Amino acid sequence: DRCPNEKGTDSKGCIPRRVEVTEAAIEIHDAINFASGKAVIAKSSDALIAEIADVFKQNPQIKKVSIEGHTDLSGNAKKNQKLSEDRAKAVMDRLIKLGVEADRLTSKGFGSSKPVEPLAKGQKKETKEQAAKNRRVEFNIVEQEEVKTTMTVQEARAAGYDSSQVKTLTAAESAAAAEAEKAAAEKK
């Protein structure tokens, strides 16, 4: 169980989240939707983008994120490139409007050049499922501070860490770390 303090329903024992931070990205497990062929964010995606903004606010150690737009394989390559650039910028602008610092964000479009579901050999056109997976916005972490976490040995094992990734603290070090965490929490 990777989340021993939660009554989770996913395969890791965690509560499923639409937005989560990994080592390399802010992953979204939902789609940011746009008006067809435009860089206008659909109202149905407002709550998701607000959740993404909250993740930025809760994770100040994330210093720079590249917001990357991708399109499906249909249509003109030049138009898809421009559309993906405009959509990534629209998401960036919305996050800034929601309070995320502009210097933490960059935007870039890739058009249809990096599909997650490429065409199979001999396949002429994407399926609807392939197109839906290829149309996406990704949030790749470019720069972040090192994050140090204090946990019990049992929590570290439950989280999947092996002994090479864990430093065992003496009782004095553990008490000092707990005191530092308490002081940091009181400053907030």
Side-chain angles (χ1 to χ4, degrees):
D1 186 354
R2 285 188 171 267
C3 304
N5 299 325
E6 297 178 357
K7 286 189 175 186
T9 58
D10 74 4
S11 63
K12 296 175 187 164
C14 301
I15 297 169
R17 290 174 174 75
R18 288 199 309 171
V19 182
E20 79 180 296
V21 178
T22 67
E23 194 173 314
I26 297 173
E27 293 187 1
I28 57 172
H29 305 292
D30 203 348
I32 296 175
N33 295 307
F34 297 87
S36 182
K38 297 180 181 175
V40 177
I41 299 168
K43 286 265 184 233
S44 62
S45 292
D46 287 350
L48 176 58
I49 292 178
E51 285 180 49
I52 296 166
D54 288 342
V55 164
F56 273 95
K57 293 171 189 173
Q58 294 163 7
N59 292 278
Q61 78 279 4
I62 298 173
K63 299 299 182 190
K64 183 76 80 176
V65 170
S66 176
I67 301 169
E68 300 176 357
H70 302 268
T71 64
D72 58 32
L73 300 172
S74 67
N76 176 285
K78 274 188 175 180
K79 286 182 181 176
N80 279 345
Q81 179 62 39
K82 173 92 170 95
L83 181 61
S84 67
E85 291 169 3
D86 292 347
R87 285 179 171 178
K89 185 169 182 338
V91 171
M92 182 177 76
D93 291 345
R94 178 72 63 85
L95 289 170
I96 292 167
K97 196 174 186 178
L98 292 170
V100 178
E101 300 88 344
D103 64 349
R104 294 174 73 189
L105 306 172
T106 63
S107 68
K108 184 171 179 148
F110 288 94
S112 59
S113 67
K114 293 186 172 189
V116 291
E117 288 282 329
L119 297 177
K121 189 172 182 170
Q123 185 180 357
K124 302 270 189 243
K125 189 177 176 189
E126 287 173 305
T127 65
K128 285 182 181 180
E129 293 80 16
Q130 285 174 311
K133 287 180 182 178
N134 290 334
R135 275 189 311 270
R136 67 198 187 280
V137 178
E138 295 178 338
F139 299 83
N140 292 307
I141 298 172
V142 176
E143 180 185 337
Q144 67 181 318
E145 293 175 358
E146 183 180 356
V147 179
K148 297 190 180 196
T149 304
T150 303
M151 62 179 70
T152 67
V153 172
Q154 292 81 6
E155 290 171 328
R157 284 187 186 128
Y161 293 103
D162 65 39
S163 59
S164 69
Q165 298 170 297
V166 177
K167 177 185 178 205
T168 305
L169 303 179
T170 65
E173 289 173 319
S174 183
E179 203 54 43
E181 282 183 16
K182 182 180 176 186
E186 287 173 357
K187 282 185 178 180
K188 289 182 181 179

